[in-house]
Amino acid sequence: MTKLIDGKIISKQIKDELKEEVRALKEQGKEICLAVIQVGGDAASSVYVNNKKKACAYIGIESLSYELEENTSEEELVGLIEELNRSEKVNGILVQLPLPKHIDEDRIIRTISPDKDVDGFHPVSVGRLWLGEPGFLSCTPAGIVQLLKRSGIEIEGKECVILGRSNIVGKPMAALMLRENATVTIAHSRTKNLKDVTRRADILIAAVGQQKMVTAEYVKEGAVVIDVGIHRDTQNKLCGDVDFQGVSEKVSAITPVPGGVGPMTIAMLMNNCVETARN
């Protein structure tokens, strides 16, 4: 029978553990504060920002909210980040993406101090990840590792195929799975004989950004499938990169959409915030 990997339950476990840890840190006189910056009123971004604030409140850390106008200049945003970099009160800085088109996202990411980069997007954070040095882990890939481990799924020695090579999921996912001693292949739009490659996977991680692209013929019998995608189908229902109906009958374990990877991203963001106070 196929195991459903429930991200809601696992993310709650992690947040409950963090809540206890935050309480203990407060007893040592350590306070944690996350600054969240949103530019413009994008509806999806507002939902994400609100969820992050709720998670902060739940585990007991302070969140500072900066909701800036759509026409905020790049220089104004850089100035705010530099001020937060200098603030002794602020442990972590998060700028909600995407930003309005007139702002250079890469410059903004690089402006955040690597020691406050709780999203794990700064080039220094990426370098630390690939070198295996301590630092902030990219939240979605770190969440996927926790989903696997806490579901009792062995990673070491397994063949892992990652569909997608983005800087936010695909590449850091590869680094983390290597760190867990998996044998890793990154497949993408230029990969030849894609189905042959994905059918080798003991663990298939779909982060390709195409609705229900991964059908049963991409997956070997008994594989574990992690679906990172999130889309609206023709009935306006949420779905992922994986054709859940067809694939779930063939695999040993699978994440649903919604309720799989999504909740883990915020749980691991909270973990990165707590990481700032651990040492």
Side-chain angles (χ1 to χ4, degrees):
M1 190 176 161
T2 304
K3 178 187 180 81
L4 198 66
I5 301 173
D6 193 326
K8 287 182 184 172
I9 290 173
I10 295 171
S11 68
K12 172 99 169 34
Q13 286 170 359
I14 291 169
K15 285 189 284 189
D16 285 343
E17 290 164 14
L18 292 171
K19 192 175 186 177
E20 281 303 302
E21 193 174 350
V22 168
R23 189 183 54 74
L25 287 165
K26 282 182 176 176
E27 286 173 3
Q28 298 167 31
K30 292 181 180 179
E31 295 287 341
I32 305 168
C33 176
L34 171 67
V36 182
I37 303 169
Q38 181 181 356
V39 185
D42 178 76
S45 290
S46 296
V47 170
Y48 291 134
V49 166
N50 199 36
N51 287 342
K52 287 164 186 174
K53 289 182 200 166
K54 282 182 185 168
C56 286
Y58 183 79
I59 71 164
I61 69 176
E62 185 181 353
S63 64
L64 299 177
S65 185
Y66 297 87
E67 286 155 13
L68 309 180
E69 296 290 331
E70 182 86 22
N71 61 2
T72 299
S73 73
E74 189 174 303
E75 293 310 319
E76 285 174 302
L77 181 54
V78 165
L80 172 59
I81 293 167
E82 287 175 341
E83 186 184 316
L84 294 170
N85 282 340
R86 292 189 295 271
S87 169
E88 289 186 11
K89 176 181 180 174
V90 172
N91 302 71
I93 301 168
L94 184 150
V95 178
Q96 183 64 39
L97 303 179
L99 290 167
K101 288 188 168 52
H102 66 278
I103 296 176
D104 179 355
E105 281 189 4
D106 188 53
R107 183 187 177 198
I108 297 307
I109 288 167
R110 288 167 184 267
T111 301
I112 298 168
S113 163
D115 295 325
K116 296 190 178 187
D117 168 40
V118 288
D119 261 334
F121 293 162
H122 193 287
V124 170
S125 301
V126 175
R128 286 171 176 165
L129 168 61
W130 279 100
L131 293 172
E133 292 180 358
F136 297 116
L137 302 179
S138 192
C139 298
T140 299
I144 290 167
V145 170
Q146 286 300 314
L147 278 180
L148 293 167
K149 286 184 168 182
R150 289 172 185 250
S151 299
I153 294 163
E154 184 78 28
I155 301 173
E156 185 168 333
K158 294 296 175 69
E159 183 116 11
C160 173
V161 176
I162 299 159
L163 261 177
R165 51 179 167 177
S166 73
N167 290 334
I168 290 174
V169 180
K171 290 174 188 172
M173 190 76 250
L176 282 180
M177 294 303 273
L178 284 171
R179 191 184 281 193
E180 297 295 332
N181 298 315
T183 299
V184 179
T185 302
I186 300 181
H188 46 78
S189 58
R190 304 295 169 87
T191 299
K192 298 276 194 290
N193 304 318
L194 182 60
K195 290 175 187 173
D196 292 341
V197 174
T198 58
R199 277 198 297 262
R200 294 203 312 256
D202 301 308
I203 301 169
L204 177 63
I205 299 168
V208 76
Q210 286 189 42
Q211 186 179 132
K212 299 184 183 179
M213 186 194 113
V214 178
T215 58
E217 55 195 6
Y218 282 81
V219 181
K220 83 170 177 185
E221 197 81 39
V224 173
V225 175
I226 305 290
D227 190 350
V228 183
I230 188 150
H231 316 275
R232 293 260 175 204
D233 66 15
T234 49
Q235 279 85 46
N236 203 35
K237 288 185 179 170
L238 287 171
C239 65
D241 289 352
V242 176
D243 172 26
F244 185 87
Q245 254 355 82
V247 171
S248 60
E249 294 171 10
K250 194 174 181 182
V251 298
S252 61
I254 189 169
T255 57
V257 176
V261 173
M264 296 300 294
T265 301
I266 290 180
M268 299 318 291
L269 170 67
M270 293 300 105
N271 184 66
N272 279 350
C273 292
V274 176
E275 181 64 33
T276 63
R278 284 184 180 127
N279 304 310

